[in-house]
Amino acid sequence: MTEPLEKRLEKAMAELQAAQEAVARTERELRTASFAALSSDRAVRATAGSQGELIGIDFLEEKYRDMSPQELGASVLEAASAARLKMNRHVMKAIAPFAEPSSNVPELKGFEMDWERIFGPEVLHEDDGDARGAQSAPAWRDAIGDEGED
């Protein structure tokens, strides 16, 4: 026997309200999120903001003084790309649940997100690195944290 329309509508409205509250919480969290990443030579740490924008560059341990302009530029680009990729993966994981089908309202089927089109193909590649989606790091960096400290 099927559930009465009023009961189904009540469930749908409750799920909608819960979803709206969850979206608002997620938006607040994402607005303040940032991720940092080190270049593989540990000369540069870059930080990406909530929209993937570069919000910080740190030149570590004065290594930049011994680098050619090309080496330094490559380190900056590597760290910035890795930080942006971390942020993109975080956004993807935060938003993905809102695209899933409803468990309480079968008529709400969910929708597909083309993450590759939004963020680029690297966002879908699995990492050997940390569970938060950090870009994979050389084995010698296992002993240090994401921010470059022991």
Side-chain angles (χ1 to χ4, degrees):
M1 180 152 111
T2 61
E3 201 170 24
L5 181 59
E6 286 178 8
K7 188 68 171 170
R8 290 175 50 211
L9 185 56
E10 185 179 308
K11 280 185 180 179
M13 291 303 292
E15 186 164 337
L16 176 61
Q17 183 175 354
Q20 288 172 330
E21 291 168 1
V23 166
R25 278 191 309 275
T26 301
E27 285 177 351
R28 283 191 302 274
E29 187 276 326
L30 288 176
R31 261 188 244 116
T32 61
S34 65
F35 282 86
L38 286 173
S39 59
S40 58
D41 59 12
R42 299 182 53 169
V44 177
R45 177 178 43 236
T47 305
S50 62
Q51 295 180 344
E53 75 279 16
L54 190 59
I55 61 171
I57 293 283
D58 297 310
F59 299 104
L60 307 173
E61 301 174 17
E62 298 194 21
K63 291 181 180 186
Y64 68 93
R65 294 183 185 272
D66 298 326
M67 299 172 80
S68 72
Q70 295 81 8
E71 290 172 323
L72 181 57
S75 290
V76 168
L77 288 175
E78 177 191 1
S81 294
R84 183 175 179 201
L85 182 59
K86 283 182 177 185
M87 188 68 229
N88 290 347
R89 286 186 174 147
H90 180 69
V91 169
M92 184 178 81
K93 289 175 184 175
I95 292 174
F98 302 113
E100 294 175 359
S102 168
S103 57
N104 294 329
V105 184
E107 293 83 4
L108 300 176
K109 305 260 188 242
F111 54 92
E112 293 273 331
M113 294 291 290
D114 189 349
W115 298 114
E116 184 174 353
R117 193 173 119 238
I118 295 169
F119 294 124
E122 53 282 332
V123 77
L124 298 177
H125 296 173
E126 288 298 318
D127 286 321
D128 300 330
D130 82 35
R132 290 184 318 183
Q135 194 168 23
S136 58
W140 57 267
R141 290 188 38 205
D142 289 346
I144 63 170
D146 280 349
E147 306 307 317
E149 287 87 27
D150 294 321

